């Protein structure tokens, strides 16, 4: 009996091994596919702005003397804007690497969210110039413990997306509220919204929803970085849609430190 059991056990182990090998092979193939997709996307995102910089700079060098002031100015603007885009992209990649390796160490401080909303909106002034803005942050909100720089960057990314994906002239709302345990910030827009199946995937690195017109090309990094920042500070960042396809809602929820929690609803 013992021998028979041992044989059966050996057989079972062999089978498990086989399944594991197949899974390993599958995983390796998937990883390879993912790596290729990442590299393709990365090369494209680096190459596009760099080509624009090279093209404009070469034209300036070769024909600058014969160009009108206006044309020269346009070429220089391209050089500056595309270099800024490259710079932002590289900063994003560095942030991704830090989050991925767990090296993201927030500089925690106690602060009111109202302050960071003000800074983020100020920084987004140019980007949101063609939209209407509605901001409602109650002054009576408890303090939270977060890294103001990271929180501001995450909120900025959400406002930036709202301005990028919702048509000009529509309203972007930045709302804040609190309950006994959490302070919540929400960015609502009147754009295309996000297909239900993509509500989680938009946070994946390099993921972009296909059906959206990507003329104002982004990199697919903003939301995964933002979620990385918020989670590194103990908060949550989620995506949703307004009812009846009226646009997207992104919500940042930060815990109120236990010693600052007040019983009852502060809404
Ligand atoms: P990027 O905007 O650079 O492409 P993000 O990580 O910020 O990258 O966003 C990922 C994708 O999520 C976007 O490409 C877009 O398809 C979708 N998305 C983000 N914000 C919104 C929004 N406010 N409305 C509709 N779709 C959005």
């Amino acid at each position: 009996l013992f021998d028979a059991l041992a044989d059966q056990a050996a057989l079972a182990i062999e089978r498990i091994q086989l399944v594991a090998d197949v899974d390993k092979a599958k995983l390796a193939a998937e990883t390879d596919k993912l790596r290729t997709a990442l590299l393709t996307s990365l090369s494209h995102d680096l190459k596009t702005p760099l080509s624009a910089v090279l093209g404009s700079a070469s034209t300036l060098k070769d024909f600058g003397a014969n160009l009108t002031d206006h044309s020269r100015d346009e070429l220089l603007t391209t050089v500056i804007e595309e270099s800024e885009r490259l710079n932002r992209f590289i900063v994003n990649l560095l942030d991704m690497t830090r989050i991925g390796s767990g090296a993201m160490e927030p500089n925690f401080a106690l602060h009111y969210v109202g302050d960071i909303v003000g800074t983020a909106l100020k920084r987004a002034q140019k980007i949101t110039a063609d939209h209407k803005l509605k901001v409602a942050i109650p002054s009576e909100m408890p303090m939270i413990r977060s890294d103001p720089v990271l929180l501001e960057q995450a909120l900025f990314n959400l406002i930036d997306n709202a301005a990028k994906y919702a048509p000009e002239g529509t309203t972007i709302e930045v709302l804040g509220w609190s309950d006994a345990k959490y302070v919540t910030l929400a960015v609502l827009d009147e754009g295309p919204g996000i297909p239900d199946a993509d509500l989680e995937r938009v946070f994946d690195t390099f993921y972009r929803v296909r059906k959206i017109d990507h003329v104002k090309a982004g990199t697919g990094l903003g939301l995964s970085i933002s979620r990385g920042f918020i989670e590194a500070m103990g908060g949550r960042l989620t995506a949703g849609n307004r009812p009846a396809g009226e646009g997207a809602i992104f919500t940042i929820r930060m815990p109120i430190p236990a010693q600052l929690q007040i019983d009852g609803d502060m809404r």
Side-chain angles (χ1 to χ4, degrees):
L1 180 71
F2 181 77
D3 280 351
L5 278 177
D7 279 352
Q8 265 182 14
L11 212 65
I13 289 171
E14 218 169 271
R15 279 206 194 117
I16 292 170
Q17 203 69 50
L18 267 176
V19 172
D21 283 349
V22 170
D23 280 353
K24 246 191 254 163
K26 247 199 223 157
L27 191 68
E30 287 293 316
T31 315
D32 267 356
K33 249 201 267 167
L34 194 66
R35 191 178 295 136
T36 311
L38 287 188
L39 281 177
T40 310
S41 166
L42 203 65
S43 323
H44 173 80
D45 287 327
L46 288 171
K47 205 161 176 268
T48 311
L50 199 54
S51 302
V53 169
L54 275 175
S56 305
S58 307
T59 310
L60 271 171
K61 182 167 186 287
D62 296 341
F63 308 107
N66 305 324
L67 294 173
T68 59
D69 282 354
H70 178 71
S71 309
R72 264 201 304 271
D73 201 52
E74 274 191 345
L75 287 167
L76 276 173
T77 305
T78 305
V79 170
I80 293 168
E81 281 181 359
E82 295 299 312
S83 304
E84 278 171 353
R85 198 163 129 187
L86 262 178
N87 193 34
R88 263 199 317 273
F89 185 64
I90 290 165
V91 169
N92 280 348
L93 281 181
L94 290 176
D95 283 341
M96 283 304 305
T97 325
R98 281 198 293 160
I99 293 169
S101 65
M104 178 57 67
E105 280 190 20
N107 289 314
F108 284 106
L110 276 179
H111 65 97
Y112 291 106
V113 287
D115 299 341
I116 75 111
V117 173
T119 325
L121 283 171
K122 203 162 161 205
R123 191 145 73 90
Q125 224 165 23
K126 226 162 113 190
I127 300 162
T128 54
D130 298 323
H131 289 80
K132 286 176 239 150
L133 268 181
K134 240 197 222 168
V135 184
I137 310 288
S139 50
E140 294 288 300
M141 287 216 285
M143 286 179 134
I144 54 162
R145 188 172 165 274
S146 90
D147 181 330
V149 174
L150 299 187
L151 185 58
E152 196 251 319
Q153 183 61 45
L155 180 66
F156 174 86
N157 287 345
L158 301 183
I159 299 170
D160 185 33
N161 277 349
K164 211 159 54 177
Y165 298 115
E168 289 179 7
T170 56
T171 304
I172 298 172
E173 286 180 73
V174 182
L175 309 179
W177 65 89
S178 62
D179 54 30
K181 288 195 165 154
Y182 302 98
V183 167
T184 307
L185 286 173
V187 178
L188 294 79
D189 66 46
E190 296 177 339
I194 296 163
D196 282 346
D198 287 323
L199 284 174
E200 260 308 301
R201 281 155 72 181
V202 288
F203 294 101
D204 290 350
T205 312
F206 293 117
Y207 189 79
R208 316 191 68 207
V209 178
R210 235 182 250 135
K211 72 164 198 160
I212 292 179
D213 173 15
H214 278 134
V215 176
K216 299 175 187 173
T219 57
L221 285 175
L223 286 179
S224 51
I225 290 175
S226 303
R227 180 174 264 185
F229 284 176
I230 297 297
E231 287 183 350
M233 301 187 294
R236 284 189 60 195
L237 170 59
T238 48
N241 283 306
R242 306 171 82 165
E246 290 163 25
I249 311 178
F250 283 86
T251 312
I252 298 175
R253 199 183 73 176
M254 296 299 300
I256 300 168
Q259 70 272 25
L260 296 180
Q261 284 179 17
I262 302 166
D263 284 341
D265 204 61
M266 294 271 301
R267 204 184 293 222

